[in-house]
């Protein structure tokens, strides 16, 4: 950790030049510039350059002079961020592997990016205590698979008696068409299980007050849920617009009327079907394409879950939470660094940029989904869920 902190202390924000101890959004930027960039993305009004030449930052030489022009600050961040996201992947490292004495040549072994192994409830029994150099990633993998077990059992238990036993008689998980009436109960199972994930993964989370624990999980649940649904949906339904509606259920254009069959009687099901189909075509498609492009390994995926839980929004409530966000983000990034080096991917900047871009893009889709929720609210859908997710 001391070595990692020394590295961060040498960094400067590429936008405003201030010294930084932590990178944000996958580039060398300070928290203030990263937050400014994310907020500015959602602005409805256009920005204007103060000098009128769209080049204010060309003469920047002090930290105080950078933030005076919002447009040029935003443009510089966007340019650097876009270049980081579009960087070409690094060439795989090659190592010579000696063959038997009878062979007179050396064959090159190509070391690829981390494996794309899938992690779910079955992984819990494969996660044995580890003495590896990435203890946090190991704990998060174990904790995520435990969370999957909790969700699986919690969702199967309330099924009708005969259906529950039918599902339990099978070795593989049985995915069922989702129902409107089960969405909110299953969300609550996931929400409470996320506490167990955080408690098992992060020692400093366990030291928080009950109120702060609730704030961290409440503030970031939807982003974690979006990552989880995209990850699992891409695994089970990679080639269509089927989306996960919980751990064991799904919804698509063919099942949406079945999904709405037990919604409140006053809901116009034809209108609701149209809104659901539009949302799935846009949101599910974008997230799946992002996951299919990046193909995160199980270690990378749980790192994304951890970064979603400890994102910049978490730090806004208190100085103590701000410190925990910095500590936990740094430990996650440090473990990723060690994992890449261990796997032979020493020049991993482009790979890490892809991961962080994936997280940012899922968050952008979540912002769009929040607009869909307002439409659902007007249609009398999921009214009880809004009460659940008020602080």
């Amino acid at each position: 950790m001391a070595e990692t902190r020394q590295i961060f202390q040498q960094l400067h924000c590429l936008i405003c030049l201030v010294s930084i101890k932590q990178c944000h959004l996958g580039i060398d930027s300070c928290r203030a510039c990263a937050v400014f960039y994310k907020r500015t993305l959602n602005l409805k009004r256009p920005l204007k350059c103060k000098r009128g030449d769209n080049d204010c930052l060309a003469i920047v030489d002090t930290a105080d002079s950078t933030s005076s022009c919002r447009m040029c600050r935003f443009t510089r961040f966007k340019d650097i961020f876009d270049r980081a996201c579009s960087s070409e992947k690094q060439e795989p490292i090659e190592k010579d592997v000696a063959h038997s004495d009878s062979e007179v040549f050396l064959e090159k072994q190509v070391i690829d990016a981390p494996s794309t192994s899938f992690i779910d409830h079955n992984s819990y029994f494969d996660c044995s205590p580890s003495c590896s150099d990435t203890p946090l990633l190991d704990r998060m993998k174990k904790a995520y698979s435990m969370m999957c077990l909790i969700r699986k059992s919690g969702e199967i238990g309330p099924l009708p008696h005969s259906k529950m036993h039918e599902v339990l008689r099978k070795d593989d998980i049985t995915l069922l068409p989702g129902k409107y009436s089960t969405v909110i109960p299953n969300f609550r199972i996931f929400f409470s299980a996320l506490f167990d994930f955080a408690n098992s993964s992060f020692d400093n989370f366990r030291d928080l007050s009950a109120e702060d624990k609730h704030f961290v999980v409440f503030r970031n649940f939807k982003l974690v849920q979006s990552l989880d649904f995209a990850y699992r949906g891409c695994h089970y339904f990679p080639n269509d617009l089927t989306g996960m509606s919980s751990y064991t259920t799904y919804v698509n254009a063919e099942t949406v009327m079945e999904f709405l069959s037990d919604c409140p009687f006053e809901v116009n099901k034809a209108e609701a079907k149209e809104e659901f189909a539009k949302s799935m075509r846009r949101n599910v498609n974008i997230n799946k394409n992002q996951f299919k492009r990046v193909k995160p390994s199980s270690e990378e995926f749980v790192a994304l879950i951890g970064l979603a839980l400890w994102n910049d929004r978490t730090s806004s409530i208190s100085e103590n939470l701000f410190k925990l966000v910095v500590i936990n983000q740094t430990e996650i990034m440090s473990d990723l660094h060690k994992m890449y080096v261990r796997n032979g991917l020493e020049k991993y900047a482009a790979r890490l940029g892809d991961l962080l871009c994936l997280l940012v893009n899922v968050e952008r889709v979540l912002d769009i989904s929040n607009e869909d929720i307002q439409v659902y609210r007007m249609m009398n859908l999921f009214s009880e869920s809004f009460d659940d997710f008020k602080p």
Side-chain angles (χ1 to χ4, degrees), residues 151-161 164 168:
R151 294 168 63 194
K152 172 177 172 285
S153 298
E155 293 182 19
I156 291 176
L159 291 174
H161 184 77
M164 180 192 73
L168 291 175

Side-chain angles (χ1 to χ4, degrees), residues 2-157:
E3 179 184 352
T4 303
R5 280 194 289 270
Q6 288 176 358
I7 293 172
F8 284 129
Q9 287 169 355
Q10 300 169 7
L11 298 177
H12 290 82
C13 176
L14 296 175
I15 293 84
C16 71
L17 305 182
V18 300
S19 297
I20 57 174
K21 296 182 180 180
Q22 179 188 11
C23 298
H24 293 81
L25 300 183
I27 64 174
D28 292 353
S29 65
C30 66
R31 179 175 179 272
C33 286
V35 170
F36 164 79
Y37 174 72
K38 291 168 70 174
R39 288 176 178 170
T40 306
L41 283 173
N42 297 319
L43 285 179
K44 303 299 182 183
R45 62 182 185 276
L47 298 175
K48 292 184 179 179
C49 176
K50 294 189 73 171
R51 288 174 46 187
D53 59 3
N54 298 331
D55 202 23
C56 293
L57 301 189
I59 58 172
V60 166
D61 55 7
T62 67
D64 294 336
S65 61
T66 59
S67 57
S68 59
C69 179
R70 293 167 58 82
M71 179 176 180
C72 290
R73 185 186 187 192
F74 175 78
T75 301
R76 170 172 283 193
F77 197 109
K78 185 177 186 302
D79 179 60
I80 295 171
F81 182 74
D82 288 347
R83 280 188 280 128
C85 290
S86 61
S87 297
E88 294 183 357
K89 287 186 170 61
Q90 302 290 333
E91 289 297 318
I93 298 172
E94 299 178 343
K95 291 187 177 180
D96 291 335
V97 179
H99 289 254
S100 64
D101 292 338
S102 60
E103 295 174 315
V104 294
F105 61 91
L106 291 175
E107 192 176 53
K108 287 188 175 179
Q109 178 186 13
V110 178
I111 301 179
D112 297 320
S115 66
T116 55
S117 57
F118 183 66
I119 183 169
D120 62 2
H121 60 280
N122 291 314
S123 308
Y124 181 82
F125 308 102
D126 300 327
C127 296
S128 56
S130 173
C131 297
S132 75
D133 58 351
T134 54
L136 179 55
L137 288 181
D138 294 339
R139 288 201 306 272
M140 286 197 292
K141 286 180 66 176
K142 183 81 169 179
Y144 177 80
S145 57
M146 176 192 68
M147 183 168 65
C148 291
L149 273 177
I150 294 171
R151 294 168 63 194
K152 172 177 172 285
S153 298
E155 293 182 19
I156 291 176

Side-chain angles (χ1 to χ4, degrees), residues 182-201:
T182 66
V183 168
I184 303 305
N186 290 342
F187 277 18
R188 291 170 181 158
I189 294 169
F190 193 175
F191 184 80
S192 60
L194 190 54
F195 280 84
D196 297 312
F197 168 83
N199 274 315
S200 299
S201 300

Side-chain angles (χ1 to χ4, degrees), residues 268-284:
N268 185 321
K269 291 184 174 61
E271 289 184 0
K273 176 183 178 182
E274 184 178 340
E275 284 299 324
F276 267 83
K278 182 173 69 174
S279 176
M280 284 188 293
R281 282 195 302 269
R282 180 187 60 217
N283 302 345
V284 174

